[in-house]
Amino acid sequence: MNYLTKNFKETQKLGKKLAKKIKSGKGAAVLGLQGDLGGGKTTFLQGLAKGLGIKEKILSPTFVIMKRFKINIKHFKNFYHIDCYRLNSPKDIEELGIKDIILNPKNIVAIEWSERIKKILPKSAIIIKFVFIDKNKREIVI
Ligand code: ADP
Ligand code: MG
């Protein structure tokens, strides 16, 4: 599906909507967010997190690669926000135990810049692409 959002709130809303649609599977529910810097990946995840009942604000992690939030929605217990922007090698993220995290069906895992760790992504991952159109417009493909 293709969406055009005209401000950051619309992008958050889209993320919030997706939160309700995440389904359980064999392993974790994995979302791979790709595309332009400033494209709205973190903004989208702010809405998604809200939809998952997370009160804390989702930020662009500057030094942190991975952050865990507790959730309690359907059978999901953890939301992991991962940002691969500053990742030097996929090994760095493997050291954080990402493989086990992705295998656990209790987890929802959202990965910004997931194109950098393609090999680790499960086939079932939902890929979301962000395109910067102009200052306030973004194209989002889910
Ligand atoms: P990314 O994580 O992809 O690098 P961010 O979500 O951190 O991007 O940043 C997007 C920036 O663009 C934010 O400052 C946000 O307020 C702004 N913005 C303006 N219009 C939009 C829009 N339609 N959707 C998402 N963000 C927007
Ligand atoms: Mg970001």
Side-chain angles (χ1 to χ4, degrees):
M1 283 286 269
N2 262 62
Y3 301 89
L4 185 76
T5 64
K6 293 180 196 70
N7 56 62
F8 80 91
K9 285 206 165 147
E10 285 186 15
T11 298
Q12 288 179 338
K13 225 187 231 172
L14 208 56
K16 196 173 174 190
K17 255 193 185 168
L18 184 71
K20 309 290 173 211
K21 293 187 181 157
I22 296 177
K23 292 208 177 73
S24 47
K26 268 190 193 153
V30 179
L31 311 177
L33 294 88
Q34 310 184 346
D36 300 326
L37 183 68
K41 297 179 289 298
T42 303
T43 303
F44 183 91
L45 292 180
Q46 287 168 350
L48 184 97
K50 211 173 185 186
L52 295 174
I54 294 167
K55 299 278 185 288
E56 272 171 273
K57 193 164 185 206
I58 300 286
L59 303 168
S60 290
T62 10
F63 298 106
V64 204
I65 290 177
M66 179 163 85
K67 193 166 177 195
R68 179 171 78 112
F69 300 85
K70 290 214 169 287
I71 57 174
N72 204 343
I73 183 164
K74 297 175 190 167
H75 70 291
F76 292 114
K77 298 293 174 209
N78 308 293
F79 172 67
Y80 287 89
H81 177 202
I82 297 173
D83 192 330
C84 298
Y85 185 58
R86 281 162 203 86
L87 206 66
N88 294 313
S89 131
K91 277 221 168 95
D92 297 353
I93 194 96
E94 283 175 27
E95 276 164 19
L96 294 173
I98 193 170
K99 285 187 175 163
D100 287 335
I101 289 168
I102 283 177
L103 286 173
N104 188 342
K106 290 197 173 92
N107 298 336
I108 296 175
V109 186
I111 308 170
E112 296 191 42
W113 299 94
S114 64
E115 55 269 54
R116 297 192 176 181
I117 55 157
K118 259 186 201 143
K119 282 191 180 156
I120 299 171
L121 281 189
K123 282 204 185 74
S124 59
I126 299 168
I127 303 298
I128 311 170
K129 291 188 178 143
F130 294 80
V131 186
F132 186 103
I133 306 286
D134 68 23
K135 190 172 166 287
N136 291 308
K137 287 201 188 87
R138 304 290 186 274
E139 189 187 353
I140 300 168
V141 185
I142 304 182

